[in-house]
Amino acid sequence: MAVFFPRDSPFGDFDRIVSAIFDPDAGAAASTSSSSSQRQQRNPRSSILTRAGFHPRLDLAETDAGYVVHADLPGIPKDKIDVSISDDGVLMISGERSANKEIKDEQRYVVERSYGRFERAVRLPQDADRDNVQAKMTDGVLELVVPKLAAPKEAVKKISIS
């Protein structure tokens, strides 16, 4: 039996470019053309499920007050989602998705199951306040609000000329 892995979407290259902008480490791995086994060796966390499976779409925006990240996570309960920020400023959204679909009628009985882990990472700018991130989940959309740190006031010292 042949195994079919769908090719990247037409926007796969765009996704890799955007990831490279916000996460230089991910961009370096994605920019070189290589076989899937070589990609697997560079990133041991990637698997067939994450490469060919579910990749939540992210919307990133900057406002005057901070940064807003929206992640589309339809059908995933919030207790299955983990959000963390590392010391070097990488925002990580990860979790587990599982779905069971059962069709039962007089002529057939069909059960479809899908599951797998997902992970998205975004490097936050240096002025992001990592200690005051707010998160809320509404209708399958995770919203993260990351405020900006107050800009340091540039103290100008007047020097008198004698």
Side-chain angles (χ1 to χ4, degrees):
M1 179 167 114
V3 178
F4 174 74
F5 294 105
R7 294 182 56 92
D8 285 342
S9 72
F11 301 106
D13 290 333
F14 179 77
D15 235 0
R16 283 187 285 279
I17 292 169
V18 170
S19 293
I21 291 170
F22 291 103
D23 187 0
D25 297 332
S31 65
T32 58
S33 62
S34 61
S35 69
S36 62
S37 63
Q38 289 172 334
R39 283 191 301 262
Q40 179 77 17
Q41 290 172 353
R42 274 198 304 270
N43 186 358
R45 291 185 291 178
S46 75
S47 68
I48 292 173
L49 287 174
T50 58
R51 283 196 315 267
F54 179 65
H55 293 284
R57 297 294 178 199
L58 299 181
D59 293 329
L60 308 168
E62 180 179 7
T63 65
D64 292 336
Y67 304 95
V68 180
V69 179
H70 288 107
D72 291 333
L73 303 168
I76 302 173
K78 62 183 176 182
D79 61 337
K80 297 280 188 179
I81 300 169
D82 295 318
V83 180
S84 62
I85 298 178
S86 65
D87 289 338
D88 59 349
V90 176
L91 173 70
M92 180 72 69
I93 302 170
S94 61
E96 190 169 330
R97 176 181 169 208
S98 62
N100 292 326
K101 181 180 177 184
E102 184 174 340
I103 301 172
K104 191 176 191 180
D105 59 24
E106 296 172 359
Q107 298 173 342
R108 61 189 172 145
Y109 178 70
V110 179
V111 177
E112 293 182 3
R113 294 181 186 94
S114 64
Y115 58 91
R117 291 200 45 80
F118 62 88
E119 190 173 90
R120 290 297 304 263
V122 176
R123 185 174 305 278
L124 295 173
Q126 290 183 349
D127 65 343
D129 186 359
R130 298 179 301 194
D131 297 326
N132 295 311
V133 177
Q134 298 172 350
K136 69 177 178 179
M137 184 88 160
T138 308
D139 296 329
V141 177
L142 175 67
E143 179 183 54
L144 301 168
V145 178
V146 183
K148 289 182 180 179
L149 292 170
K153 294 181 181 178
E154 292 186 30
V156 177
K157 183 177 178 181
K158 180 93 175 167
I159 300 173
S160 61
I161 302 173
S162 56

